[in-house]
Amino acid sequence: MLLKTCFPAFLAVALLTFSSCKKKKSDNPAPSTQEETLAFVLPDVQLGKYNIAQDSTYALKLNITSKLPEKGVKVTLNVATETGNIPLGQDDIADIKATPVTITLRHLKPLKTYEVTVKLASLGNTGNVTAPQVFYLTNKSAE
């Protein structure tokens, strides 16, 4: 008799326990696509060393060696005089969606040396940023 009255209550508690532990599909978000860590090379320059420009412009080739992010890449370019660290304004660089890319440095003054810093950042993931690559560029023209 006791079994007949307790069994339905036990069964109800067991069903409620199992159904509450069951995971719902909305609890598990779809896995996001992971971006490969950005990496790039500047094949025409010697990093950390002095390079030579023959006039007021210098074409700089940039190759992204990692998988290109779906939304593209933003290039940050800083050009400043080696002594005094006076910035030299450059044209805006369009977001990169394919590689290789040529970036043209402009307004280089004769017989001046500039510190050039290049850094990339993913447009789809703000945490995917490269370490800056630095080189020096001297305009050897004597206008």
Side-chain angles (χ1 to χ4, degrees), residues 20 23 36 41 47 59 65 93 102 106 117 131 138:
S20 67
K23 289 190 176 190
E36 186 176 323
V41 293
L47 294 177
T65 55
I93 301 168
T102 301
R106 301 185 189 284
T117 305
T138 302

Side-chain angles (χ1 to χ4, degrees), residues 62-135:
L62 183 144
N63 288 335
I64 298 174
T65 55
S66 60
K67 184 177 178 195
L68 199 61
E70 189 176 304
K71 292 186 178 181
V73 173
K74 172 79 176 153
V75 177
T76 304
L77 179 68
N78 184 39
V79 181
T81 57
E82 180 186 34
T83 56
N85 204 21
I86 300 168
L88 181 66
Q90 297 296 311
D91 298 337
D92 288 335
I93 301 168
D95 297 337
I96 298 175
K97 303 242 184 217
T99 188
V101 175
T102 301
I103 299 167
T104 303
L105 303 178
R106 301 185 189 284
H107 319 297
L108 303 173
K109 306 284 187 246
L111 305 176
K112 287 251 186 210
T113 299
Y114 299 93
E115 180 182 85
V116 181
T117 305
V118 182
K119 188 165 83 170
L120 303 182
S122 169
L123 293 171
N125 178 357
T126 56
N128 194 0
V129 179
T130 63
Q133 293 193 16
V134 179
F135 66 96

Side-chain angles (χ1 to χ4, degrees), residues 47-59:
L47 294 177
K49 297 190 177 182
Y50 292 88
N51 298 268
I52 297 173
Q54 298 298 335
D55 60 21
S56 64
T57 62
Y58 184 78

